[in-house]
Amino acid sequence: MDLDKLMSKHLSRYFDGSRTIPDETLQQLLKFLRSAPTSTNIQPNHFYVLSTREGKERLAANLGERFQDNAEKVLNASHTIILTTRADIPEHHLDAVFAKERADGRFADAAKQERWEFMTRDFLNLRRYGYKDEYHWMEKQTYMVMGLTMMAAAELGVEAMPLEGFDPVSVDKAFDIRATGYTTTVLLALGYPDEAKQYKTPVSRFEPERLFTFA
Ligand SMILES: Cc1cc2nc3c(=O)[nH]c(=O)nc-3n(C[C@H](O)[C@H](O)[C@H](O)COP(=O)(O)O)c2cc1C
């Protein structure tokens, strides 16, 4: 990965609609996405991977009136992922996490797994009743997964463009997401840039003095 290049380029707002991510590359990216860590291994996400014309058009048509400028990005991207997050943490979700950890042999012995499950429940109770930010906390995990996926895409030579410009109620409705217990958090368009339309100006970020405190 060329970090210098990554640091000096704008995110791609314009994709080349004629190019598709090869399946092998996509599978590698999704494999990486699946491997991304989340706090307490809560894995609060479900991902809708849109690659068909029908899927992309359904998303583009349901971004909401004020976000129409993102429709072209979705339509020309090779793939767009709808990253959804659980609206809450029902017992059956926790059961599924713990059952998978046991099946995968995450901990060397049953006592450690049990301790882990106790600690996880304790931490979740803190989020739910103490910090009262259970959903917000889960969405933070979603953003981290997205950030890691953006880096993995760069490594694979794929452009990744996060999109917050959409109406989540409208997208949830279009894909019948809410009935599943999840809700849309953010979109990630993936593909190859339309070079003729890429911004060539310098990127603008704060100076290090404003950002870093060394102690
Ligand atoms: C989480 C996130 C969501 C974004 N959502 C949108 C969006 O919906 N539409 C859009 O055109 N740009 C979107 N952007 C692009 C940002 O506006 C852009 O990265 C920022 O202004 C910096 O510009 P640069 O990438 O050209 O340096 C988003 C970026 C991030 C990180």
Side-chain angles (χ1 to χ4, degrees):
M1 186 188 306
D2 186 343
L3 283 183
D4 284 321
K5 192 172 158 214
L6 208 56
M7 279 185 255
S8 57
K9 69 179 280 307
H10 294 274
L11 288 179
S12 290
R13 279 131 176 109
Y14 300 98
F15 290 99
D16 179 345
S18 69
R19 295 187 65 192
T20 304
I21 300 169
D23 193 51
E24 197 184 328
T25 305
L26 180 78
Q27 293 311 323
Q28 181 73 343
L29 187 63
L30 296 183
K31 193 171 166 192
F32 184 89
L33 182 159
R34 202 186 132 227
S35 79
T38 50
S39 181
T40 71
N41 207 19
I42 191 69
Q43 303 171 74
N45 305 116
H46 188 82
F47 307 98
Y48 292 74
V49 183
L50 311 182
S51 64
T52 64
R53 194 75 212 159
E54 193 277 331
K56 288 190 270 186
E57 276 174 1
R58 192 171 355 151
L59 179 60
N62 287 283
L63 293 170
E65 211 172 311
R66 61 193 289 181
F67 300 114
Q68 274 316 300
D69 58 329
N70 277 338
E72 187 195 344
K73 294 163 196 146
V74 168
L75 291 173
N76 285 332
S78 166
H79 291 68
T80 295
I81 303 180
I82 306 176
L83 292 93
T84 75
T85 308
R86 284 217 63 93
D88 58 8
I89 311 174
E91 200 54 31
H92 66 77
H93 182 81
L94 266 190
D95 286 346
V97 170
F98 296 149
K100 184 77 170 88
E101 287 178 343
R102 279 185 236 120
D104 288 341
R106 180 179 181 198
F107 292 100
D109 59 69
K112 277 208 180 101
Q113 174 74 38
E114 266 171 42
R115 212 157 43 244
W116 166 256
E117 291 177 15
F118 176 83
M119 279 165 42
T120 296
R121 285 181 192 284
D122 193 46
F123 186 73
L124 294 181
N125 279 335
L126 185 63
R127 305 264 43 143
R128 191 173 295 160
Y129 301 111
Y131 300 141
K132 302 185 195 301
D133 70 346
E134 185 182 74
Y135 177 68
H136 180 59
W137 168 76
M138 284 193 287
E139 280 207 306
K140 289 192 231 173
Q141 315 308 317
T142 309
Y143 268 79
M144 193 178 57
V145 168
M146 181 171 75
L148 287 166
T149 305
M150 288 170 70
M151 292 301 285
E155 173 69 16
L156 293 167
V158 172
E159 297 282 325
M161 171 81 198
L163 298 172
E164 284 182 331
F166 66 93
D167 173 356
V169 175
S170 169
V171 173
D172 281 359
K173 201 165 162 213
F175 289 86
D176 228 351
I177 292 172
R178 208 181 281 183
T180 67
Y182 292 72
T183 176
T184 302
T185 296
V186 68
L187 312 175
L188 186 62
L190 299 160
Y192 301 98
D194 179 341
E195 290 298 349
K197 290 186 177 171
Q198 286 305 98
Y199 296 164
K200 301 283 190 293
T201 52
V203 300
S204 167
R205 304 287 190 263
F206 282 136
E207 293 302 324
E209 297 72 43
R210 187 178 172 119
L211 297 179
F212 302 118
T213 299
F214 297 98

